Amino acid sequence: MILGLSLTLTAALLPQAASAQGAGALLASHKSPFNCGKTFNANNWSPGHSPSGSIDWQDYGADDINGETVRATAAGTAYFNDAGSTSYGKWVEVRHGDGTRTRYAHLATMVRAAGASLAVGQGTAIGTVGSTGGSSAPHLHYEQRTSSGTVDTSPTVEGVTVSLGQKKAVTSTNSCGGTNPYTPQEICGSGYTVIDSAALTGGRTYLLYNSGNGNNCVTTLKTTSPGTAASMSAFLEPEGASRTTDSGSYGYYAGPVRRAAAGQCVKWGGSIGASSYTSPFEHCG
């Protein structure tokens, strides 16, 4: 059963489809847009899918794709967009270093607001699967575009080529390397710089500062078994004010915890499992 409706796109979003062997073919090596070990169906259904050659990632067996984390299939710069209840709905375009692009549409959530951008590595989370825009059920609409903007009609992920009319189960190796795909700066956001950090068993907690708005930010990142949920926390306490804490069972990081603290001392820290760090009041400038 086809989960995606044909998208109603403007002419600007419908360049002529192109084969991977044509001019400006995709050069980046792409992994699946999902967590390590996840298997979903890549459906390049034809005819009737718009634009032709795009992939609908759908449920596989009993594994429900709704709400799954969506990750960049290759490194680049992500641009966040929102078409509302039409077309792609919430969607992200990642522009890669070789000039090619990938698009991820019908997202339920995005890690940045529409209009923002973010430098991403292969495996960086950019949103979650949903059914926004012109969609009939939760799935991920995915495109690989050449440097000229045309859609590759036989996209390849994880070394698997999915040509027009084909549907293949693809297992992700994205973020399987044992490294955390996130950085403290991308978690806290634009303008934040790391000013201190402390080691934890299995990770590290970071204090960042944004000189533009006077806010501090704390986040705790896993370095051991990233992607595997563990009890984690991050907290920030401006002197003379209450403490704000984010805690839970997380696979990659806790936080970000942001507080206005220009000219104030702050107490900060975090934990992973039984390992924890709490600073004295410091960084008072």
Side-chain angles (χ1 to χ4, degrees), residues 31-265:
K31 292 185 179 292
S32 165
F34 302 106
N35 288 337
C36 177
K38 286 286 187 176
T39 301
F40 292 110
N41 283 313
N43 189 355
N44 191 349
W45 52 276
S46 181
H49 201 194
S50 179
S52 180
S54 52
I55 295 292
D56 274 358
W57 290 92
Q58 302 171 331
D59 292 356
Y60 175 77
D63 205 348
D64 184 5
I65 200 168
N66 190 29
E68 284 290 327
T69 298
V70 176
R71 300 188 175 279
T73 58
T77 302
Y79 296 86
F80 298 85
N81 307 272
D82 192 344
S85 61
T86 65
S87 184
Y88 289 153
K90 289 182 172 66
W91 66 284
V92 178
E93 179 174 87
V94 178
R95 300 175 191 172
H96 308 288
D98 60 3
T100 62
R101 313 169 196 173
T102 46
R103 289 184 176 182
Y104 313 74
H106 305 314
L107 301 174
T109 63
M110 302 186 296
V111 300
R112 292 288 183 271
S117 62
L118 176 68
V120 297
Q122 187 174 62
T124 299
I126 55 176
T128 59
V129 174
S131 189
T132 59
S135 169
S136 60
H139 69 286
L140 177 66
H141 175 99
Y142 173 77
E143 301 171 18
Q144 291 181 356
R145 292 179 175 243
T146 69
S147 56
S148 62
T150 54
V151 180
D152 178 19
T153 58
S154 295
T156 299
V157 289
E158 301 288 354
V160 178
T161 299
V162 187
S163 299
L164 284 171
Q166 293 185 331
K167 179 179 181 181
K168 297 182 178 180
V170 179
T171 300
S172 178
T173 64
N174 212 342
S175 300
C176 289
T179 59
N180 196 319
Y182 298 95
T183 66
Q185 292 88 342
E186 78 178 64
I187 294 167
C188 286
S190 177
Y192 283 90
T193 301
V194 174
I195 60 172
D196 207 344
S197 67
L200 300 169
T201 301
R204 199 167 191 89
T205 188
Y206 295 86
L207 175 68
L208 297 86
Y209 184 68
N210 187 325
S211 60
N213 58 22
N215 288 352
N216 281 105
C217 177
V218 176
T219 181
T220 301
L221 279 74
K222 292 189 71 180
T223 56
T224 301
S225 301
T228 300
S231 176
M232 299 178 66
S233 71
F235 76 85
L236 179 58
E237 180 183 341
E239 192 167 20
S242 61
R243 177 177 297 190
T244 300
T245 302
D246 176 57
S247 61
S249 182
Y250 301 128
Y252 295 94
Y253 62 87
V257 178
R258 303 182 188 91
R259 293 287 295 273
Q264 289 179 272
C265 302

